[in-house]
């Protein structure tokens, strides 16, 4: 996989673009005015591997909470601003590590310029975030595919920012359609030099949104496109982070914790594998070691997969043969499979 080369910006201590890792983001769903609750969610996101967090500032009375959040957050905090440029300016003064604005809904470009100049003086980047659902008016009625409209809008804003002497830019242009998202980012990758924040916006619930995000982001990442990502789910934000890491791991881009290999089960399976695999998956989430664990239900592929893993089990009739580094170490009853696997995992040190 050849990574697209871009300029690099820093969001607090986290670099985006250049030779930096593809980073994982999420967004809080708490009231930003409630700093205590928001900070608790940010710490929960950090525990799942989130590296940058975005919070909404929908009104002025959220700014005091935002300032405390920035001061106490373990993660760099991005201020998400729509419509009111004054909130973006004030968020910069209150400690934002980055701004996210859609210039198309800020209003008069003089207001956008005020935000650009404030961020430039503070030395923080701005994400130009263009969405299909809030496309600037001058692009809505153009006779061209939506992907071209989104890319053209984002490029025009980049050019305007450059004209102000500002190049500390991250770009996103999202749609809820997977194919439109892919086409848009391919166009952007060829037209702008800046880091790209990728995502399928409003992707859906945990089930459907995970599938759409995995397909769309997987295609882009495999093509080397994307410097940071958010998986947008109608679900707890911690779930967004878990899915993002699974996407990166599936492509061997980054791996935060264990990899679980488990079979889909069939008529040959002679143990109740689904609850076994689910419990192994749940307990593996507490680990951050990059090991491979296999939970296999029958003798067809089970021994081979178990031997290929750091720790694995190949099940027979009511029993499981436990492997460690490719060698069988013991046979245990079905009820003891999970505990036996984790005893071997613990012994790996």
């Amino acid at each position: 996989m050849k990574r697209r080369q871009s300029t690099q910006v820093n969001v607090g201590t986290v670099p985006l673009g250049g030779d930096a890792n593809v980073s994982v983001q999420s967004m809080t769903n708490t009231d930003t005015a409630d700093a205590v609750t928001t900070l608790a969610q940010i710490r929960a996101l950090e525990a799942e591997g989130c590296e940058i967090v975005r919070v909404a500032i929908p009104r002025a009375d959220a700014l005091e909470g935002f300032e405390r959040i920035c001061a106490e957050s373990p993660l760099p905090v991005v201020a998400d601003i729509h419509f009111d440029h004054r909130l973006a300016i004030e968020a910069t003064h209150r400690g934002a590590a980055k701004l996210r604005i859609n210039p198309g809904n800020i209003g008069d470009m003089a207001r956008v310029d005020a935000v650009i100049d404030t961020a430039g003086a503070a030395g923080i980047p701005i994400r130009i975030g263009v969405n299909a659902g809030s496309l600037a008016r001058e692009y809505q009625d153009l006779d061209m595919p939506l992907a071209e409209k989104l890319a053209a809008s984002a490029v025009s804003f980049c050019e305007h920012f450059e004209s102000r002497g500002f190049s500390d830019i991250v770009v996103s242009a999202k749609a809820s359609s997977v194919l439109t998202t892919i086409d848009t980012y391919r166009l952007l990758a060829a037209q702008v030099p800046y880091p790209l924040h990728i995502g399928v916006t409003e992707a859906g619930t945990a089930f459907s949104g995970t599938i759409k995000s995995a397909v769309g982001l997987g295609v882009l990442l495999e093509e080397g496109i994307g410097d940071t990502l958010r998986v947008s789910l109608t679900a707890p934000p911690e779930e967004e982070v878990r899915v993002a890491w699974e996407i990166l791991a599936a492509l061997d881009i980054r791996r935060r914790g264990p990899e679980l290999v488990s079979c889909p089960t069939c008529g040959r399976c002679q143990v109740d594998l689904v609850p076994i695999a689910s419990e192994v998956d749940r307990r593996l989430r507490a680990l951050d070691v990059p090991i491979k664990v296999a939970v296999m239900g029958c003798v067809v592929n089970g021994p081979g997969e178990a031997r290929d893993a750091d720790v694995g089990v190949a099940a027979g009739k009511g029993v499981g043969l436990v492997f460690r580094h490719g060698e069988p170490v013991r046979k245990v009853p079905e009820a003891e499979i999970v505990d036996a696997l984790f005893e071997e995992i613990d012994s790996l040190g």
Side-chain angles (χ1 to χ4, degrees):
M1 183 184 306
K2 185 177 180 181
R3 180 90 173 272
R4 165 187 172 267
Q5 290 301 301
S6 75
T7 59
Q8 188 173 93
V9 305
N10 293 302
V11 182
T13 58
V14 179
L16 300 184
D19 59 357
N21 285 325
V22 178
S23 59
V24 173
Q25 303 195 25
S26 186
M27 186 172 183
T28 59
N29 59 12
T30 55
D31 182 352
T32 304
D34 183 351
V36 172
T37 301
T38 303
L39 283 164
Q41 188 170 78
I42 290 173
R43 294 184 184 104
L45 287 166
E46 180 196 29
E48 293 292 344
C50 185
E51 295 167 308
I52 299 170
V53 67
R54 181 158 45 108
V55 305
I57 305 180
R59 56 191 188 278
D61 65 6
L63 286 164
E64 185 174 346
F66 177 77
E67 183 172 7
R68 179 178 173 185
I69 291 163
C70 290
E72 299 181 24
S73 172
L75 303 175
V77 181
V78 179
D80 188 87
I81 310 292
H82 291 276
F83 308 118
D84 191 340
H85 75 291
R86 295 168 297 181
L87 295 178
I89 291 170
E90 189 60 30
T92 303
H93 298 318
R94 301 288 185 115
K98 176 181 158 192
L99 301 177
R100 185 276 185 181
I101 64 170
N102 180 350
N105 67 29
I106 291 293
D108 188 279
M109 288 306 290
R111 297 175 180 178
V112 176
D113 292 345
V115 176
I116 294 171
D117 295 345
T118 302
I124 65 170
I126 297 176
R127 170 155 70 97
I128 297 171
V130 177
N131 273 25
S134 54
L135 192 60
R137 290 187 184 91
E138 59 266 33
Y139 291 94
Q140 291 177 7
D141 297 327
L142 292 179
D143 185 19
M144 62 174 64
L146 178 56
E148 293 182 18
K149 295 180 186 181
L150 287 165
S153 178
V155 170
S156 71
F157 288 133
C158 287
E159 291 171 347
H160 181 83
F161 277 49
E162 291 162 0
S163 74
R164 302 288 300 181
F166 189 92
S167 59
D168 213 6
I169 296 170
V170 180
V171 184
S172 67
K174 301 180 183 180
S176 58
S177 160
V178 170
L179 293 178
T180 298
T181 297
I182 292 170
D183 288 344
T184 302
Y185 278 104
R186 284 173 174 163
L187 291 169
L188 284 176
Q191 295 179 50
V192 299
Y194 304 113
L196 296 180
H197 171 119
I198 61 173
V200 178
T201 193
E202 292 115 18
T205 58
F207 177 75
S208 61
T210 292
I211 294 171
K212 289 175 69 174
S213 296
V215 172
L217 301 186
V219 168
L220 291 170
L221 289 166
E222 197 281 330
E223 293 180 5
I225 298 172
D227 302 287
T228 184
L229 71 154
R230 180 201 174 187
V231 174
S232 298
L233 301 177
T234 310
E238 295 88 345
E239 188 66 20
E240 296 183 348
V241 177
R242 287 192 285 268
V243 173
W245 278 105
E246 287 295 327
I247 293 171
L248 292 173
L251 292 165
D252 282 333
I253 294 173
R254 294 183 71 186
R255 192 176 298 283
R256 181 173 181 267
E259 175 187 3
L260 175 62
V261 176
S262 61
C263 71
T265 76
C266 68
R268 290 183 293 268
C269 187
Q270 294 182 292
V271 297
D272 191 5
L273 194 71
V274 172
I276 293 173
S278 296
E279 178 62 12
V280 172
D281 183 48
R282 185 189 70 80
R283 289 172 62 170
L284 284 175
R285 290 182 184 178
L287 305 179
D288 59 6
V289 288
I291 60 172
K292 184 176 181 180
V293 178
V295 179
M296 305 299 294
C298 79
V299 297
V300 175
N301 295 317
E305 290 285 1
R307 285 192 180 95
D308 187 50
D310 295 292
V311 175
V313 61
K317 186 175 183 178
V319 298
L321 182 60
V322 179
F323 289 77
R324 176 177 172 177
H325 292 318
E327 298 296 328
V329 292
R330 54 175 160 156
K331 184 181 288 187
V332 298
E334 178 178 347
E336 299 176 15
I337 286 175
V338 175
D339 287 339
L341 278 174
F342 279 88
E343 287 170 7
E344 295 302 324
I345 290 169
D346 291 342
S347 71
L348 293 176

